Amino acid sequence: GRGEIRVFDRSHYEGVLVDRVHGKVPPPVWKKRYGQIVAFEETLIGHDTLILKFFLHMSKTEQKRRLEERLEDPKKNWKFKESDLRERRVWADYQRAYQDAVNRTSTEKAPWFVIPSDHGWYRDRIGAEETGEAPERLQPQSPQPARNGTNQGREGEPSRHDEQERGLGEARHREQQELPWVHGLRVV
């Protein structure tokens, strides 16, 4: 709904990645999915949805380091899956699939952001910057006052919008008191 933020982790892109790499469906099926993905995203955009697509690219060397760390560090053993090793064997196939998916589904209104992700701090910073700037592209508008010319609810009570604005102001004030170092910074 309006004003909501939703996160989809891969979702329909699995059909042009995993299904392709592992031959789960024939090429005509996964090739057709590119157009279906673009059409779906265009439908969302037509209903005032802003789409942000991030491809967090990790090098093969960094992936190997992280897999080894999961095996060696008992605190990270839980993250390790044998399937990670099977998937690593088809690294080159995945790279081709990722390249095609990004190139075939990146559009002017729903571009991909390819973010180098060997270093978490860099990945997080770029992701936060892009995500933080995104709402400005929607050009949000304040709600219009009620028909009677006031923002009053029933029997002179404040409207839900007024309550939300007051709550937001109070939250901002608490944030500035508790975190004075963020004053003047855009908190994402």
Side-chain angles (χ1 to χ4, degrees):
R2 290 185 183 271
E4 294 181 1
I5 296 174
R6 301 290 175 140
V7 176
F8 293 93
D9 182 10
R10 294 176 276 200
S11 58
H12 49 260
Y13 285 93
E14 292 291 317
V16 294
L17 299 171
V18 177
D19 291 354
R20 171 184 172 171
V21 169
H22 292 288
K24 293 182 178 185
V25 295
V29 172
W30 58 258
K31 287 181 179 181
K32 183 179 178 181
R33 289 178 178 165
Y34 295 123
Q36 293 168 336
I37 290 168
V38 171
F40 173 69
E41 290 175 353
E42 286 175 352
T43 299
L44 294 176
I45 292 165
H47 291 279
D48 299 324
T49 299
L50 177 66
I51 298 175
L52 301 175
K53 299 185 290 192
F54 298 100
F55 175 59
L56 307 177
H57 182 268
M58 183 183 306
S59 70
K60 191 172 185 180
T61 302
E62 179 62 15
Q63 184 198 48
K64 179 182 179 192
R65 187 193 69 73
R66 290 185 188 187
L67 287 172
E68 288 171 345
E69 185 176 57
R70 289 176 183 179
L71 288 170
E72 295 166 4
D73 184 348
K75 293 178 184 172
K76 294 187 178 185
N77 288 162
W78 66 272
K79 292 182 178 184
F80 180 77
K81 296 180 287 193
E82 282 192 42
S83 62
D84 292 336
L85 298 177
R86 287 192 299 275
E87 295 299 301
R88 186 167 165 75
R89 289 185 197 115
V90 288
W91 175 273
D93 295 332
Y94 270 112
Q95 296 309 301
R96 283 189 291 279
Y98 290 138
Q99 184 176 5
D100 288 346
V102 168
N103 288 331
R104 303 268 313 262
T105 63
S106 190
T107 63
E108 184 179 337
K109 293 189 178 183
W112 276 95
F113 297 90
V114 179
I115 303 176
S117 298
D118 281 2
H119 303 287
W121 67 267
Y122 182 79
R123 174 204 62 217
D124 295 349
R125 178 177 175 171
I126 299 302
E129 285 176 5
E130 291 301 330
T131 303
E133 292 172 5
E136 296 169 14
R137 290 183 233 154
L138 288 176
Q139 299 175 345
Q141 308 278 324
S142 295
Q144 296 299 313
R147 289 187 183 161
N148 64 7
T150 70
N151 277 338
Q152 299 295 309
R154 286 179 287 184
E155 300 175 22
E157 294 176 5
S159 71
R160 181 174 167 202
H161 172 72
D162 290 339
E163 290 173 3
Q164 289 173 340
E165 284 297 308
R166 186 173 46 256
L168 183 60
E170 290 169 3
R172 285 187 183 136
H173 178 72
R174 278 192 313 273
E175 209 172 71
Q176 289 174 350
Q177 296 297 317
E178 295 171 14
L179 304 169
W181 54 270
V182 300
H183 181 70
L185 297 176
R186 180 180 62 211
V187 179
V188 178

